[in-house]
Amino acid sequence: MTAYAEVIGDPIAQSKSPLIHGFWLDALGIQGEYRAHRVEPASLAGYFAARRNDPDWRGCNITIPHKIAALDHVADPGGVRGSIGAINAVFRNEDGDWIGTNTDAAGFYAPLADTDLAGAHALVIGSGGGARAVLFALSRMGIGAVTLMARNPLKGAGLLAGFGLKGDVVDLTAPVPPVDLLVNASPLGMTGQPALAIDLSPLSDDAIVYDIVYAPLETPLLAAARARELAVIDGLEMLIGQASAAFSLFFGHEPPRERDPELRALLTA
């Protein structure tokens, strides 16, 4: 039998994770598979029940809309529920227990690792599982203040307080403040989702625009930022970063990150 892992979500056809993990498996000569599997919200419990007795299942990545709900089906020894509040990966440990973890925060942070954001002002759009990972990472980076764009102001205020962040919550229709870092951590702009239509003119010339959406890779937000000649970070940066940590958990090997340029070329072909 062949060991396998997969990515679950609804929708899931847009996922590039099978290409990423498949590239690394081939590069390392590992006999394994990585699949995409659509799981509707009502079927989440059934999915985990079906995998529980499958010895070849090494785990799964989790995307929209299951990042919070999946916590109810796995062990949480790292206290992810009380910190980030969402998981994006489940793996078996050496004792055979199913462990939930979050590699999104590390994936988000990686392309910003050499950027000094201490005391800076960030705008984060969204309040779901992806936004939680972003806010967690920003709280560890010494960000000065966060303006959170969210549909539910009470939920947004709770997130800021929960991560110990100073700032405010505004509606999705509010104008963009003159922030140093703008992050779209929502599904807006994703294929099949409404566009994210915002005016970037208040941003200074040295602001950074980061969109965690990767399908399409060149979102309208990033196109608008490039038109202003702003620094941009696309969704592949976070996707590859979080996948790298998950791959090690699933297959027990570090992926060959020195081949990232080749991988990006494959993903954007």
Side-chain angles (χ1 to χ4, degrees):
M1 302 296 287
T2 301
Y4 72 97
E6 51 198 347
V7 57
I8 64 170
D10 183 24
I12 200 60
Q14 82 286 352
S15 178
K16 295 182 182 294
S17 292
L19 280 174
I20 296 172
H21 289 264
F23 176 84
W24 289 334
L25 288 168
D26 290 342
L28 296 174
I30 296 174
Q31 296 298 311
E33 295 180 10
Y34 187 97
R35 313 164 181 171
H37 187 79
R38 182 187 176 202
V39 177
E40 298 178 351
S43 303
L44 186 61
Y47 167 80
F48 283 113
R51 296 296 185 271
R52 191 163 296 279
N53 296 316
D54 185 346
D56 298 314
W57 185 81
R58 295 293 183 87
C60 66
N61 282 116
I62 301 165
T63 189
I64 296 171
H66 304 312
K67 291 187 177 185
I68 297 173
L71 273 164
D72 294 334
H73 303 282
V74 297
D76 181 27
V80 179
R81 183 187 292 273
S83 56
I84 299 177
I87 57 175
N88 77 315
V90 174
F91 66 99
R92 291 187 196 270
N93 66 8
E94 294 179 352
D95 297 324
D97 299 323
W98 289 12
I99 307 299
T101 190
N102 193 305
T103 64
D104 276 339
F108 169 78
Y109 169 74
L112 293 171
D114 295 327
T115 303
D116 183 8
L117 291 173
H121 186 186
L123 170 67
V124 177
I125 303 168
S127 57
R132 288 173 179 268
V134 168
L135 293 171
F136 176 83
L138 291 177
S139 72
R140 298 302 190 269
M141 295 167 68
I143 200 80
V146 174
T147 295
L148 184 64
M149 277 190 174
R151 290 189 176 91
N152 186 324
L154 289 178
K155 178 181 179 182
L159 287 176
L160 291 182
F163 290 110
L165 292 166
K166 298 177 181 179
D168 59 330
V169 182
V170 298
D171 187 77
L172 290 171
T173 60
V176 171
V179 296
D180 305 292
L181 171 68
L182 185 155
V183 182
N184 177 33
S186 78
L188 295 173
M190 182 186 295
T191 301
Q193 297 289 330
L196 176 59
I198 56 176
D199 179 13
L200 300 181
S201 60
L203 298 184
S204 66
D205 292 342
D206 58 357
I208 301 170
V209 176
Y210 192 151
D211 198 337
I212 73 170
V213 169
Y214 59 85
L217 182 60
E218 183 70 358
T219 62
L221 174 63
L222 292 184
R226 291 187 202 278
R228 276 214 47 206
E229 299 185 345
L230 299 175
V232 301
I233 301 173
D234 64 43
L236 282 189
E237 294 283 353
M238 179 171 171
L239 182 68
I240 294 172
Q242 65 80 24
S244 175
F247 184 87
S248 301
L249 294 172
F250 298 151
F251 299 107
H253 296 272
E254 293 294 326
R257 295 299 304 274
E258 69 278 3
R259 295 181 63 177
D260 275 8
E262 185 181 346
L263 175 57
R264 282 189 66 95
L266 172 67
L267 295 170
T268 55

